[in-house]
Each structure stands twice: as structure tokens, then as C-alpha cells.
Amino acid sequence: MNRKSFTSTEYAVEELSSSVHFYTETIEVNGLSSIAFFEAGESYKGKRFYWQNREKTFTLVGLGHAHVITSLSEDSRFEEVDKQWNELCSKIVNEEQDLQPILFGGFSFDPANHLSSEWDMFPSAYFAVPSFQLVIRDDRVFISIHLVTNEIESQHLFDQLRSERDDLIHAAQVKELKPYAKPLLTDLEERFKELYLDAVSHVTKLIHAGEAQKVVIARSLSLTFAEDVSSPSAMYHVSKEQPESFLFGMELEDNLFFGATPERLVKVENRKALSTCLAGSIKRGQTATDDQQLGNELLQDSKNREEHQYVVDMITNVFNTYCEDIKVAKFPKLMKIRDIQHLFTPVEGILQKGQGLLQLVKDLHPTPALGGEPRNDAMAIIRMVEQMNRGYYAAPVGWIDAAGNGEFAVAIRSALLNKQKAYLYAGGGIVADSDPTSEYAETLVKFRPMLRTLGGKLNG
């Protein structure tokens, strides 16, 4: 991948100077819209992020960059981010009652994929501590200021941030949220369609030959719009279309990677770890009766149950390495969202002493639901047959705070937006009896949420 070279001090990866201090301050404010706060930070375009958990009990918005952590490594990116974050947290100067600072970002799916693509400027890991952090937790709204500086006299800088914080709060509370219209789609291209169909056929042969048990193959759509599509517009519409999913958005210059994913990779809260095994899917029914019949069909389908069990076994093995008191449901349940229903099985445990969230993220990615089984064999096959760069699609995206709590989701049902262009991604698990036509139809269902968000639709 011909990635952008991060050479400025903002992206420096060397150890922090001993003179660096990380100042924070948090205030509680009256209720305001998270989308309005995101929109109010237009002067920070290219340096914003958005997150909301599936339960809608935690919303996070970041404006500006107090500090950025990146990695270009193929082998040690998780460790680099973890080390730099812990080092930065050791510099925190704040009041005990202040909210924990949060680091937000994501990793690329496969840093060994060097195909030039729309993802060229994204490093293998990209995380930011915002200058202004909004947290909405259980209907209480908190705004934090973050300043990372080595200036001895920095009070004037913090006072400037306070003034700007007050302006942002006022704009978010007083100004009316724009009535965003859906984008006007002028062109839709099914990228690599024939390559995808050929890849599915080829992979089934490789599986029959014993090269792997399961391989996830993805494909992409390219959209063109009549005008530039703004990040606040995209986040507004995805929140309306898919309110029951994890919502995320992450800007990098003119790019917004955003989506509405049903899949938690892992959550850690007060040492308790929780993951969701999500694999195997079928469409929603036209009526409640049809929906129930399709759900029962999914629960009894051997192909989908096999796919699902690969994920359960792998995630359970990772938890056995890092956790104690592990609990795994014996049978999958149905997770029903607007366009699709999935098999899901929760796994939970208590982190062992000395283990952390980013260690779990490293060993869980990619699960068999996004890569395949065995992992290394599946990844080699993906590189050989997929003929595209997934970028951050199907990779971990999420947050971690200074106490080690946080949550990462798997960035499926997602799109990369750049002004008048957008790229959508979807895939599915290929096993020995997979049929290219059926797999293609499954991707159509998975494209629908983001396509509808961006003003389009697909048949099928």
C-alpha cells in the first residue's frame, strides 16, 4: 500500500519527551445532540470522530487532535499503539473527578496488502486523542478539553481551549441541526464483480483440496454523487437508518470511514471482557411469520452453523489465553436488525492480571467471520484471489480510555466517503458447498444499509 508518510510532529512515533504534560478538564453540560456537536466542529474537518454503542448508553464525539498515534508496522502495530497510549496516559494531569481521556481509531484489515487503492493514505493503525471530547453516558453529557504540550507556560493555551469549548457547546445547543437531504446518486459501479464470482468458485475448490476450511471473500461498490457529501450528513443518515447497530465515523483529511455494524469484537469494562460471535446470516421476512420461518431456517442450516462454530471456537480459545471465569452460551441465538438476521453467541470472562484490551483486539482480529479458518491459510488465499484492498473494512475500530476500559467493533456495513465518491464493502464466508450466485445475493443484502444511507438501493 502506498501510504501517506506521517512525518510531522503530530504523527511522531518516538517516545514522548519527559517535559510533555497531558492536561485535561471536564465539565457537565445540559443535554445536546451528539450530531450537532459533531457538526459544530466543522473547523476541525478531517480531525473528527463519532461513536455510539449498540445499546445507546454511550456516545462519543471527538473534535480536533490533541495527539495522534499511528503505526506503519505489519507486525507490531497493536503493541506500538498500546505502548504509546500507556506512555501518554502517564503524563496526565487532571482532577480526580474528571472523565478519563479517550483514544479513538482503528486498524487496517491486512497491513500486508500493498495494493494501491482508495485507502492509500491510511496507515496500518490510526488513533487520536481529541482536543474536545463529548461523552454522553446514561443521559448525562460531559465535555472534556485535552491539551498535550511541552510548553512550561501553557495556561494561555488552555484558556483558549476553554473559550473555544464554550463556543462549540453554544453552537451545538442553539443552532438548529441542518435538515440533511439524502445524497443524489449519479452512478453505481459493481467493482470486481466477475473477479468476485470467480474467486468464490476458486476458493471452494481450494477448500475441497484441503487448503482451508473457510475463507471470507469480499467485494466493493463505487458510488458517485452529484455534489460533495459532508461527514455530518453521512453520520446523520446512518444514525436514522441503522439505530440498532454500533455507529462509527472517523475522518482523515477529506475521507470519512463510517458505518453501522452489528458486530462487537470485544468490550472491556472494569476487567470484565465481552465478545460477540457473529457469523451466519439470512434476510428478514416480509411478515413476522416469514421472518420467524427464515430465522428457524438459519438456526438449522448446517452451512451457517458450521461457519458460526468456527468463530465461537476461535474467540473462546483467545479468551482462554487472556481471561478467567469464561462463559460461553451453548447454542446460538438470532440477532435481528433491519435488513438481515445473524447467528450470535456471547462470550465473556474476567481479564487476567497484566492483560489488556488491545492484546485481546490483536489476537481476535480477524475472526473466522471476517478472515477464515485456519487464519493464516485463509489470509494467504484472500490476498491471492480477492484482488482489492479492504483498508479498514472488516477491521477493528473503537476506543480505549486511560483506565484500560473500551470497546472495539468489527467495521462491517461500512463505507469510505471522499467528497463526491464513496466505496462500500461486503463479503461472506465461503465453505466447501458455497455457491457463487447465493454468495453474491448475500452481499446484496449486506450492502443495503450503507447504500440506503447514501441515497441508493439494490435489487436482490
Side-chain angles (χ1 to χ4, degrees):
M1 185 188 294
N2 299 317
R3 296 189 182 93
K4 176 181 176 180
S5 176
F6 292 93
T7 56
S8 72
T9 56
E10 182 181 27
Y11 300 101
V13 297
E14 60 269 11
E15 292 188 4
L16 291 172
S17 164
S18 60
S19 63
V20 165
H21 296 290
F22 183 1
Y23 298 105
T24 82
E25 180 181 86
T26 302
I27 62 171
E28 185 171 0
V29 301
N30 293 328
L32 55 78
S33 159
S34 57
I35 297 290
F37 190 74
F38 185 87
E39 180 185 74
E42 190 64 20
S43 63
Y44 289 106
K45 182 179 179 181
K47 297 180 179 181
R48 294 178 290 185
F49 62 75
Y50 188 98
W51 169 274
Q52 188 174 71
N53 66 3
R54 194 170 59 217
E55 298 80 11
K56 304 298 173 272
T57 57
F58 181 82
T59 302
L60 170 67
V61 178
L63 307 178
H65 287 168
H67 189 78
V68 171
I69 296 173
T70 70
S71 174
L72 301 177
S73 171
E74 293 184 13
D75 303 317
S76 59
R77 56 195 179 139
F78 297 94
E79 292 85 354
E80 287 181 5
V81 172
D82 199 25
K83 178 184 177 183
Q84 291 178 60
W85 176 232
N86 287 328
E87 186 180 353
L88 182 63
C89 289
S90 72
K91 309 290 186 179
I92 293 174
V93 180
N94 65 354
E95 299 295 331
E96 189 173 335
Q97 69 270 21
D98 280 352
L99 227 61
Q100 294 285 356
I102 288 174
L103 181 74
F104 181 89
F107 299 90
S108 65
F109 179 79
D110 180 13
N113 184 329
H114 300 290
L115 289 175
S116 183
S117 72
E118 61 272 17
W119 295 97
D120 281 351
M121 74 179 306
F122 283 76
S124 60
Y126 178 74
F127 284 81
V129 180
S131 299
F132 303 97
Q133 171 185 295
L134 174 143
V135 167
I136 304 175
R137 180 181 279 126
D138 300 325
D139 297 323
R140 297 181 68 187
V141 182
F142 302 91
I143 306 287
S144 300
I145 295 170
H146 300 143
L147 175 64
V148 179
T149 180
N150 57 11
E151 290 194 24
I152 297 174
E153 297 294 333
S154 56
Q155 185 63 46
H156 67 290
L157 296 175
F158 213 83
D159 287 341
Q160 290 174 11
L161 290 173
R162 287 190 180 110
S163 177
E164 190 168 354
R165 173 200 62 197
D166 294 344
D167 289 341
L168 289 167
I169 293 170
H170 180 266
Q173 288 179 332
V174 174
K175 291 184 180 179
E176 189 174 347
L177 190 65
K178 293 179 183 177
Y180 292 109
K182 287 282 184 76
L184 177 60
L185 183 62
T186 58
D187 184 63
L188 185 154
E189 176 191 354
E190 296 198 57
R191 308 165 80 201
F192 321 118
K193 178 181 176 181
E194 296 305 320
L195 282 173
Y196 169 81
L197 295 170
D198 290 343
V200 173
S201 296
H202 186 54
V203 167
T204 57
K205 294 175 184 176
L206 293 175
I207 292 173
H208 279 290
E211 299 291 323
Q213 296 169 297
K214 173 191 174 182
V215 181
V216 178
I217 300 299
R219 69 187 190 96
S220 174
L221 301 180
S222 171
L223 311 183
T224 305
F225 307 101
E227 298 177 342
D228 291 358
V229 181
S230 73
S231 294
S233 171
M235 294 311 306
Y236 171 82
H237 286 298
V238 77
S239 69
K240 298 300 182 185
E241 291 288 349
Q242 297 292 123
E244 71 277 23
S245 298
F246 290 95
L247 304 179
F248 67 89
M250 177 173 63
E251 290 184 332
L252 177 54
E253 296 193 7
D254 289 330
N255 298 282
L256 172 72
F257 179 52
F258 77 112
T261 174
E263 185 166 359
R264 171 188 288 120
L265 183 64
V266 63
K267 175 183 180 179
V268 169
E269 185 173 13
N270 299 324
R271 309 301 296 171
K272 181 179 179 181
L274 174 65
S275 185
T276 302
C277 309
L278 195 75
S281 59
I282 200 166
K283 65 183 180 180
R284 299 298 304 267
Q286 294 295 318
T287 66
T289 301
D290 290 342
D291 203 56
Q292 184 177 10
Q293 289 175 345
L294 286 165
N296 290 335
E297 179 184 329
L298 177 60
L299 286 166
Q300 297 167 18
D301 182 73
S302 59
K303 172 189 176 293
N304 280 287
R305 287 293 292 268
E306 180 184 13
E307 271 193 62
H308 187 77
Q309 194 59 43
Y310 286 139
V311 180
V312 174
D313 291 344
M314 179 268 190
I315 291 179
T316 302
N317 286 338
V318 172
F319 268 56
N320 281 330
T321 301
Y322 292 103
C323 299
E324 302 167 338
D325 300 328
I326 298 159
K327 298 176 183 177
V328 185
K330 290 184 178 180
F331 302 102
K333 299 178 181 180
L334 292 174
M335 178 186 291
K336 296 175 181 280
I337 52 180
R338 181 171 178 180
D339 296 282
I340 198 168
Q341 43 190 325
H342 294 282
L343 296 176
F344 87 97
T345 299
V347 178
E348 61 182 65
I350 305 299
L351 271 178
Q352 298 171 8
K353 188 175 181 180
Q355 308 296 353
L357 174 58
L358 289 176
Q359 291 169 304
L360 278 171
V361 173
K362 176 187 176 182
D363 278 14
L364 288 171
H365 173 73
T367 72
L370 286 310
E373 185 68 25
R375 177 188 285 176
N376 291 339
D377 296 332
M379 292 294 286
I381 292 172
I382 290 169
R383 292 180 193 123
M384 177 178 66
V385 306
E386 205 168 71
Q387 296 301 304
M388 74 171 196
N389 196 325
R390 295 189 186 185
Y392 282 32
Y393 160 70
V397 60
W399 61 275
I400 181 170
D401 70 15
N405 298 311
E407 185 164 30
F408 280 77
V410 181
I412 55 175
R413 314 294 190 271
S414 55
L416 181 64
L417 175 66
N418 185 307
K419 297 182 179 180
Q420 289 180 254
K421 296 286 292 186
Y423 303 90
L424 279 60
Y425 310 89
I430 311 304
V431 292
D433 60 350
S434 292
D435 170 65
T437 303
S438 298
E439 296 297 333
Y440 173 81
E442 182 179 319
T443 63
L444 293 179
V445 175
K446 293 175 178 177
F447 276 128
R448 280 179 184 157
M450 295 307 295
L451 189 60
R452 193 169 50 237
T453 292
L454 291 167
K457 62 180 180 179
L458 280 175
N459 297 320

